[in-house]
PDB file of all heavy atoms in Angstrom:
ATOM      1  N   ILE R   1      -9.022 -58.472  62.666  1.00 68.00           N
ATOM      2  CA  ILE R   1      -8.047 -59.086  61.776  1.00 68.00           C
ATOM      3  C   ILE R   1      -6.858 -58.141  61.657  1.00 68.00           C
ATOM      4  O   ILE R   1      -7.014 -56.992  61.218  1.00 68.00           O
ATOM      5  CB  ILE R   1      -8.651 -59.362  60.388  1.00 68.00           C
ATOM      6  CG1 ILE R   1      -9.861 -60.298  60.528  1.00 68.00           C
ATOM      7  CG2 ILE R   1      -7.620 -59.982  59.462  1.00 68.00           C
ATOM      8  CD1 ILE R   1     -10.567 -60.597  59.225  1.00 68.00           C
ATOM      9  N   PRO R   2      -5.663 -58.569  62.078  1.00 65.00           N
ATOM     10  CA  PRO R   2      -4.497 -57.680  62.057  1.00 65.00           C
ATOM     11  C   PRO R   2      -4.261 -57.076  60.681  1.00 65.00           C
ATOM     12  O   PRO R   2      -4.451 -57.747  59.650  1.00 65.00           O
ATOM     13  CB  PRO R   2      -3.343 -58.605  62.448  1.00 65.00           C
ATOM     14  CG  PRO R   2      -3.994 -59.747  63.162  1.00 65.00           C
ATOM     15  CD  PRO R   2      -5.328 -59.918  62.537  1.00 65.00           C
ATOM     16  N   GLU R   3      -3.887 -55.826  60.648  1.00 58.00           N
ATOM     17  CA  GLU R   3      -3.617 -55.152  59.372  1.00 58.00           C
ATOM     18  C   GLU R   3      -2.527 -55.861  58.588  1.00 58.00           C
ATOM     19  O   GLU R   3      -2.510 -55.849  57.365  1.00 58.00           O
ATOM     20  CB  GLU R   3      -3.224 -53.697  59.629  1.00 58.00           C
ATOM     21  CG  GLU R   3      -4.380 -52.794  59.991  1.00 58.00           C
ATOM     22  CD  GLU R   3      -5.468 -52.795  58.917  1.00 58.00           C
ATOM     23  OE1 GLU R   3      -5.125 -52.699  57.724  1.00 58.00           O
ATOM     24  OE2 GLU R   3      -6.645 -52.902  59.266  1.00 58.00           O
ATOM     25  N   ALA R   4      -1.604 -56.506  59.330  1.00 59.00           N
ATOM     26  CA  ALA R   4      -0.508 -57.210  58.649  1.00 59.00           C
ATOM     27  C   ALA R   4      -1.030 -58.296  57.725  1.00 59.00           C
ATOM     28  O   ALA R   4      -0.402 -58.650  56.730  1.00 59.00           O
ATOM     29  CB  ALA R   4       0.432 -57.838  59.684  1.00 59.00           C
ATOM     30  N   ALA R   5      -2.234 -58.807  58.047  1.00 56.00           N
ATOM     31  CA  ALA R   5      -2.806 -59.861  57.222  1.00 56.00           C
ATOM     32  C   ALA R   5      -3.162 -59.370  55.840  1.00 56.00           C
ATOM     33  O   ALA R   5      -3.255 -60.150  54.897  1.00 56.00           O
ATOM     34  CB  ALA R   5      -4.055 -60.425  57.892  1.00 56.00           C
ATOM     35  N   PHE R   6      -3.351 -58.041  55.703  1.00 53.00           N
ATOM     36  CA  PHE R   6      -3.784 -57.496  54.414  1.00 53.00           C
ATOM     37  C   PHE R   6      -2.718 -56.689  53.699  1.00 53.00           C
ATOM     38  O   PHE R   6      -2.964 -56.129  52.648  1.00 53.00           O
ATOM     39  CB  PHE R   6      -5.030 -56.628  54.618  1.00 53.00           C
ATOM     40  CG  PHE R   6      -6.200 -57.411  55.078  1.00 53.00           C
ATOM     41  CD1 PHE R   6      -6.552 -57.429  56.419  1.00 53.00           C
ATOM     42  CD2 PHE R   6      -6.944 -58.157  54.187  1.00 53.00           C
ATOM     43  CE1 PHE R   6      -7.634 -58.157  56.841  1.00 53.00           C
ATOM     44  CE2 PHE R   6      -8.041 -58.893  54.610  1.00 53.00           C
ATOM     45  CZ  PHE R   6      -8.384 -58.893  55.941  1.00 53.00           C
ATOM     46  N   SER R   7      -1.513 -56.655  54.270  1.00 51.00           N
ATOM     47  CA  SER R   7      -0.468 -55.834  53.655  1.00 51.00           C
ATOM     48  C   SER R   7      -0.119 -56.342  52.260  1.00 51.00           C
ATOM     49  O   SER R   7      -0.013 -55.572  51.325  1.00 51.00           O
ATOM     50  CB  SER R   7       0.774 -55.810  54.537  1.00 51.00           C
ATOM     51  OG  SER R   7       1.268 -57.119  54.724  1.00 51.00           O
ATOM     52  N   ALA R   8       0.026 -57.651  52.130  1.00 53.00           N
ATOM     53  CA  ALA R   8       0.387 -58.203  50.827  1.00 53.00           C
ATOM     54  C   ALA R   8      -0.750 -58.023  49.812  1.00 53.00           C
ATOM     55  O   ALA R   8      -0.538 -57.552  48.701  1.00 53.00           O
ATOM     56  CB  ALA R   8       0.762 -59.670  50.950  1.00 53.00           C
ATOM     57  N   PRO R   9      -2.028 -58.371  50.168  1.00 53.00           N
ATOM     58  CA  PRO R   9      -3.111 -58.138  49.210  1.00 53.00           C
ATOM     59  C   PRO R   9      -3.238 -56.688  48.784  1.00 53.00           C
ATOM     60  O   PRO R   9      -3.512 -56.397  47.622  1.00 53.00           O
ATOM     61  CB  PRO R   9      -4.345 -58.624  49.984  1.00 53.00           C
ATOM     62  CG  PRO R   9      -3.813 -59.635  50.940  1.00 53.00           C
ATOM     63  CD  PRO R   9      -2.475 -59.116  51.354  1.00 53.00           C
ATOM     64  N   GLN R  10      -3.075 -55.718  49.735  1.00 56.00           N
ATOM     65  CA  GLN R  10      -3.185 -54.317  49.371  1.00 56.00           C
ATOM     66  C   GLN R  10      -2.081 -53.923  48.398  1.00 56.00           C
ATOM     67  O   GLN R  10      -2.307 -53.175  47.455  1.00 56.00           O
ATOM     68  CB  GLN R  10      -3.130 -53.453  50.642  1.00 56.00           C
ATOM     69  CG  GLN R  10      -4.413 -53.511  51.456  1.00 56.00           C
ATOM     70  CD  GLN R  10      -4.304 -52.732  52.750  1.00 56.00           C
ATOM     71  OE1 GLN R  10      -3.215 -52.396  53.202  1.00 56.00           O
ATOM     72  NE2 GLN R  10      -5.438 -52.467  53.371  1.00 56.00           N
ATOM     73  N   LYS R  11      -0.891 -54.426  48.652  1.00 58.00           N
ATOM     74  CA  LYS R  11       0.224 -54.137  47.748  1.00 58.00           C
ATOM     75  C   LYS R  11      -0.060 -54.730  46.382  1.00 58.00           C
ATOM     76  O   LYS R  11       0.162 -54.081  45.348  1.00 58.00           O
ATOM     77  CB  LYS R  11       1.508 -54.719  48.336  1.00 58.00           C
ATOM     78  CG  LYS R  11       2.730 -54.511  47.473  1.00 58.00           C
ATOM     79  CD  LYS R  11       3.934 -55.133  48.150  1.00 58.00           C
ATOM     80  CE  LYS R  11       5.188 -55.016  47.278  1.00 58.00           C
ATOM     81  NZ  LYS R  11       6.342 -55.647  47.918  1.00 58.00           N
ATOM     82  N   ASN R  12      -0.552 -55.958  46.361  1.00 75.00           N
ATOM     83  CA  ASN R  12      -0.867 -56.592  45.092  1.00 75.00           C
ATOM     84  C   ASN R  12      -1.958 -55.824  44.349  1.00 75.00           C
ATOM     85  O   ASN R  12      -1.961 -55.762  43.111  1.00 75.00           O
ATOM     86  CB  ASN R  12      -1.328 -58.042  45.319  1.00 75.00           C
ATOM     87  CG  ASN R  12      -0.175 -58.945  45.747  1.00 75.00           C
ATOM     88  OD1 ASN R  12       0.992 -58.550  45.684  1.00 75.00           O
ATOM     89  ND2 ASN R  12      -0.495 -60.149  46.184  1.00 75.00           N
ATOM     90  N   HIS R  13      -2.879 -55.243  45.093  1.00 77.00           N
ATOM     91  CA  HIS R  13      -3.925 -54.432  44.450  1.00 77.00           C
ATOM     92  C   HIS R  13      -3.305 -53.263  43.699  1.00 77.00           C
ATOM     93  O   HIS R  13      -3.740 -52.927  42.584  1.00 77.00           O
ATOM     94  CB  HIS R  13      -4.902 -53.927  45.521  1.00 77.00           C
ATOM     95  CG  HIS R  13      -6.038 -53.137  44.969  1.00 77.00           C
ATOM     96  ND1 HIS R  13      -7.024 -53.692  44.189  1.00 77.00           N
ATOM     97  CD2 HIS R  13      -6.335 -51.807  45.059  1.00 77.00           C
ATOM     98  CE1 HIS R  13      -7.882 -52.760  43.826  1.00 77.00           C
ATOM     99  NE2 HIS R  13      -7.495 -51.605  44.338  1.00 77.00           N
ATOM    100  N   SER R  14      -2.292 -52.636  44.273  1.00 87.00           N
ATOM    101  CA  SER R  14      -1.608 -51.523  43.603  1.00 87.00           C
ATOM    102  C   SER R  14      -0.919 -52.007  42.332  1.00 87.00           C
ATOM    103  O   SER R  14      -0.939 -51.338  41.296  1.00 87.00           O
ATOM    104  CB  SER R  14      -0.593 -50.884  44.548  1.00 87.00           C
ATOM    105  OG  SER R  14       0.127 -49.873  43.905  1.00 87.00           O
ATOM    106  N   LEU R  15      -0.314 -53.191  42.394  1.00 91.00           N
ATOM    107  CA  LEU R  15       0.366 -53.752  41.203  1.00 91.00           C
ATOM    108  C   LEU R  15      -0.662 -54.022  40.093  1.00 91.00           C
ATOM    109  O   LEU R  15      -0.403 -53.749  38.922  1.00 91.00           O
ATOM    110  CB  LEU R  15       1.099 -55.032  41.565  1.00 91.00           C
ATOM    111  CG  LEU R  15       2.159 -54.970  42.670  1.00 91.00           C
ATOM    112  CD1 LEU R  15       2.898 -56.308  42.779  1.00 91.00           C
ATOM    113  CD2 LEU R  15       3.154 -53.852  42.421  1.00 91.00           C
ATOM    114  N   LYS R  16      -1.821 -54.539  40.490  1.00 88.00           N
ATOM    115  CA  LYS R  16      -2.860 -54.811  39.487  1.00 88.00           C
ATOM    116  C   LYS R  16      -3.416 -53.533  38.877  1.00 88.00           C
ATOM    117  O   LYS R  16      -3.719 -53.487  37.687  1.00 88.00           O
ATOM    118  CB  LYS R  16      -3.994 -55.639  40.122  1.00 88.00           C
ATOM    119  CG  LYS R  16      -3.622 -57.084  40.401  1.00 88.00           C
ATOM    120  CD  LYS R  16      -4.814 -57.865  40.933  1.00 88.00           C
ATOM    121  CE  LYS R  16      -4.449 -59.331  41.136  1.00 88.00           C
ATOM    122  NZ  LYS R  16      -5.591 -60.134  41.612  1.00 88.00           N
ATOM    123  N   GLU R  17      -3.557 -52.498  39.699  1.00 90.00           N
ATOM    124  CA  GLU R  17      -4.021 -51.222  39.173  1.00 90.00           C
ATOM    125  C   GLU R  17      -3.036 -50.661  38.157  1.00 90.00           C
ATOM    126  O   GLU R  17      -3.442 -50.080  37.135  1.00 90.00           O
ATOM    127  CB  GLU R  17      -4.215 -50.226  40.323  1.00 90.00           C
ATOM    128  CG  GLU R  17      -5.477 -50.434  41.111  1.00 90.00           C
ATOM    129  CD  GLU R  17      -5.763 -49.278  42.066  1.00 90.00           C
ATOM    130  OE1 GLU R  17      -4.780 -48.663  42.525  1.00 90.00           O
ATOM    131  OE2 GLU R  17      -6.936 -49.008  42.342  1.00 90.00           O
ATOM    132  N   GLY R  18      -1.738 -50.817  38.435  1.00 95.00           N
ATOM    133  CA  GLY R  18      -0.722 -50.363  37.475  1.00 95.00           C
ATOM    134  C   GLY R  18      -0.816 -51.114  36.158  1.00 95.00           C
ATOM    135  O   GLY R  18      -0.735 -50.519  35.080  1.00 95.00           O
ATOM    136  N   CYS R  19      -1.035 -52.436  36.234  1.00 95.00           N
ATOM    137  CA  CYS R  19      -1.177 -53.242  35.012  1.00 95.00           C
ATOM    138  C   CYS R  19      -2.437 -52.868  34.244  1.00 95.00           C
ATOM    139  O   CYS R  19      -2.435 -52.831  33.009  1.00 95.00           O
ATOM    140  CB  CYS R  19      -1.199 -54.731  35.367  1.00 95.00           C
ATOM    141  SG  CYS R  19       0.396 -55.399  35.901  1.00 95.00           S
ATOM    142  N   GLN R  20      -3.490 -52.567  34.979  1.00 93.00           N
ATOM    143  CA  GLN R  20      -4.733 -52.183  34.322  1.00 93.00           C
ATOM    144  C   GLN R  20      -4.566 -50.858  33.561  1.00 93.00           C
ATOM    145  O   GLN R  20      -5.030 -50.719  32.424  1.00 93.00           O
ATOM    146  CB  GLN R  20      -5.837 -52.060  35.363  1.00 93.00           C
ATOM    147  CG  GLN R  20      -7.231 -51.874  34.762  1.00 93.00           C
ATOM    148  CD  GLN R  20      -8.311 -51.934  35.827  1.00 93.00           C
ATOM    149  OE1 GLN R  20      -8.282 -51.164  36.780  1.00 93.00           O
ATOM    150  NE2 GLN R  20      -9.256 -52.839  35.660  1.00 93.00           N
ATOM    151  N   LEU R  21      -3.896 -49.893  34.181  1.00 96.00           N
ATOM    152  CA  LEU R  21      -3.641 -48.618  33.517  1.00 96.00           C
ATOM    153  C   LEU R  21      -2.751 -48.837  32.280  1.00 96.00           C
ATOM    154  O   LEU R  21      -3.015 -48.254  31.202  1.00 96.00           O
ATOM    155  CB  LEU R  21      -2.965 -47.642  34.482  1.00 96.00           C
ATOM    156  CG  LEU R  21      -2.496 -46.314  33.882  1.00 96.00           C
ATOM    157  CD1 LEU R  21      -3.700 -45.515  33.335  1.00 96.00           C
ATOM    158  CD2 LEU R  21      -1.731 -45.481  34.907  1.00 96.00           C
ATOM    159  N   ALA R  22      -1.727 -49.656  32.416  1.00 97.00           N
ATOM    160  CA  ALA R  22      -0.812 -49.917  31.293  1.00 97.00           C
ATOM    161  C   ALA R  22      -1.571 -50.560  30.124  1.00 97.00           C
ATOM    162  O   ALA R  22      -1.356 -50.204  28.958  1.00 97.00           O
ATOM    163  CB  ALA R  22       0.333 -50.829  31.743  1.00 97.00           C
ATOM    164  N   ALA R  23      -2.471 -51.514  30.427  1.00 97.00           N
ATOM    165  CA  ALA R  23      -3.227 -52.175  29.366  1.00 97.00           C
ATOM    166  C   ALA R  23      -4.103 -51.189  28.601  1.00 97.00           C
ATOM    167  O   ALA R  23      -4.141 -51.201  27.358  1.00 97.00           O
ATOM    168  CB  ALA R  23      -4.089 -53.295  29.959  1.00 97.00           C
ATOM    169  N   ARG R  24      -4.781 -50.310  29.320  1.00 96.00           N
ATOM    170  CA  ARG R  24      -5.633 -49.310  28.671  1.00 96.00           C
ATOM    171  C   ARG R  24      -4.787 -48.340  27.841  1.00 96.00           C
ATOM    172  O   ARG R  24      -5.160 -47.958  26.726  1.00 96.00           O
ATOM    173  CB  ARG R  24      -6.446 -48.539  29.714  1.00 96.00           C
ATOM    174  CG  ARG R  24      -7.508 -49.345  30.414  1.00 96.00           C
ATOM    175  CD  ARG R  24      -8.555 -48.437  31.049  1.00 96.00           C
ATOM    176  NE  ARG R  24      -7.946 -47.483  31.962  1.00 96.00           N
ATOM    177  CZ  ARG R  24      -7.821 -47.670  33.279  1.00 96.00           C
ATOM    178  NH1 ARG R  24      -8.251 -48.793  33.819  1.00 96.00           N
ATOM    179  NH2 ARG R  24      -7.272 -46.741  34.038  1.00 96.00           N
ATOM    180  N   PHE R  25      -3.639 -47.955  28.390  1.00 97.00           N
ATOM    181  CA  PHE R  25      -2.770 -47.001  27.722  1.00 97.00           C
ATOM    182  C   PHE R  25      -2.212 -47.591  26.426  1.00 97.00           C
ATOM    183  O   PHE R  25      -2.259 -46.943  25.354  1.00 97.00           O
ATOM    184  CB  PHE R  25      -1.639 -46.617  28.673  1.00 97.00           C
ATOM    185  CG  PHE R  25      -0.627 -45.678  28.075  1.00 97.00           C
ATOM    186  CD1 PHE R  25      -0.994 -44.412  27.634  1.00 97.00           C
ATOM    187  CD2 PHE R  25       0.713 -46.054  27.952  1.00 97.00           C
ATOM    188  CE1 PHE R  25      -0.067 -43.535  27.090  1.00 97.00           C
ATOM    189  CE2 PHE R  25       1.646 -45.199  27.409  1.00 97.00           C
ATOM    190  CZ  PHE R  25       1.261 -43.937  26.959  1.00 97.00           C
ATOM    191  N   TYR R  26      -1.683 -48.788  26.479  1.00 97.00           N
ATOM    192  CA  TYR R  26      -1.115 -49.428  25.288  1.00 97.00           C
ATOM    193  C   TYR R  26      -2.183 -49.606  24.199  1.00 97.00           C
ATOM    194  O   TYR R  26      -1.919 -49.379  23.006  1.00 97.00           O
ATOM    195  CB  TYR R  26      -0.527 -50.802  25.633  1.00 97.00           C
ATOM    196  CG  TYR R  26       0.792 -50.753  26.401  1.00 97.00           C
ATOM    197  CD1 TYR R  26       1.057 -51.688  27.417  1.00 97.00           C
ATOM    198  CD2 TYR R  26       1.765 -49.811  26.101  1.00 97.00           C
ATOM    199  CE1 TYR R  26       2.268 -51.676  28.107  1.00 97.00           C
ATOM    200  CE2 TYR R  26       2.977 -49.794  26.786  1.00 97.00           C
ATOM    201  CZ  TYR R  26       3.208 -50.723  27.791  1.00 97.00           C
ATOM    202  OH  TYR R  26       4.410 -50.700  28.458  1.00 97.00           O
ATOM    203  N   HIS R  27      -3.385 -50.027  24.615  1.00 97.00           N
ATOM    204  CA  HIS R  27      -4.458 -50.245  23.636  1.00 97.00           C
ATOM    205  C   HIS R  27      -4.879 -48.920  22.987  1.00 97.00           C
ATOM    206  O   HIS R  27      -5.119 -48.862  21.767  1.00 97.00           O
ATOM    207  CB  HIS R  27      -5.656 -50.904  24.323  1.00 97.00           C
ATOM    208  CG  HIS R  27      -6.770 -51.247  23.390  1.00 97.00           C
ATOM    209  ND1 HIS R  27      -6.641 -52.149  22.346  1.00 97.00           N
ATOM    210  CD2 HIS R  27      -8.078 -50.797  23.328  1.00 97.00           C
ATOM    211  CE1 HIS R  27      -7.787 -52.251  21.689  1.00 97.00           C
ATOM    212  NE2 HIS R  27      -8.665 -51.430  22.275  1.00 97.00           N
ATOM    213  N   HIS R  28      -4.945 -47.870  23.778  1.00 97.00           N
ATOM    214  CA  HIS R  28      -5.287 -46.552  23.249  1.00 97.00           C
ATOM    215  C   HIS R  28      -4.252 -46.090  22.228  1.00 97.00           C
ATOM    216  O   HIS R  28      -4.618 -45.568  21.159  1.00 97.00           O
ATOM    217  CB  HIS R  28      -5.387 -45.533  24.392  1.00 97.00           C
ATOM    218  CG  HIS R  28      -5.610 -44.123  23.919  1.00 97.00           C
ATOM    219  ND1 HIS R  28      -6.835 -43.663  23.499  1.00 97.00           N
ATOM    220  CD2 HIS R  28      -4.727 -43.072  23.778  1.00 97.00           C
ATOM    221  CE1 HIS R  28      -6.722 -42.410  23.120  1.00 97.00           C
ATOM    222  NE2 HIS R  28      -5.458 -42.019  23.289  1.00 97.00           N
ATOM    223  N   LEU R  29      -2.968 -46.289  22.540  1.00 97.00           N
ATOM    224  CA  LEU R  29      -1.921 -45.870  21.596  1.00 97.00           C
ATOM    225  C   LEU R  29      -2.071 -46.571  20.258  1.00 97.00           C
ATOM    226  O   LEU R  29      -1.889 -45.964  19.199  1.00 97.00           O
ATOM    227  CB  LEU R  29      -0.539 -46.183  22.196  1.00 97.00           C
ATOM    228  CG  LEU R  29      -0.039 -45.301  23.349  1.00 97.00           C
ATOM    229  CD1 LEU R  29       1.331 -45.763  23.807  1.00 97.00           C
ATOM    230  CD2 LEU R  29       0.018 -43.826  22.929  1.00 97.00           C
ATOM    231  N   LEU R  30      -2.391 -47.864  20.281  1.00 96.00           N
ATOM    232  CA  LEU R  30      -2.511 -48.635  19.030  1.00 96.00           C
ATOM    233  C   LEU R  30      -3.723 -48.203  18.225  1.00 96.00           C
ATOM    234  O   LEU R  30      -3.633 -48.013  17.012  1.00 96.00           O
ATOM    235  CB  LEU R  30      -2.612 -50.117  19.346  1.00 96.00           C
ATOM    236  CG  LEU R  30      -2.746 -51.029  18.118  1.00 96.00           C
ATOM    237  CD1 LEU R  30      -1.438 -51.096  17.339  1.00 96.00           C
ATOM    238  CD2 LEU R  30      -3.174 -52.434  18.518  1.00 96.00           C
TER     239      LEU R  30
END
């Protein structure tokens, strides 16, 4: 399976990881 097929999902995974960290951080602050 060409790597190009997974470039978008891998990028989206990074975006989701960022959102997950932000959610934990904001909740901890509160």
Side-chain angles (χ1 to χ4, degrees):
I1 301 177
E3 284 303 315
F6 295 99
S7 59
Q10 286 176 344
K11 179 180 177 181
N12 289 350
H13 182 68
S14 176
L15 302 186
K16 288 185 177 181
E17 282 191 330
C19 288
Q20 189 173 57
L21 174 62
R24 291 200 304 266
F25 178 62
Y26 286 143
H27 183 63
H28 174 78
L29 287 180
L30 179 72

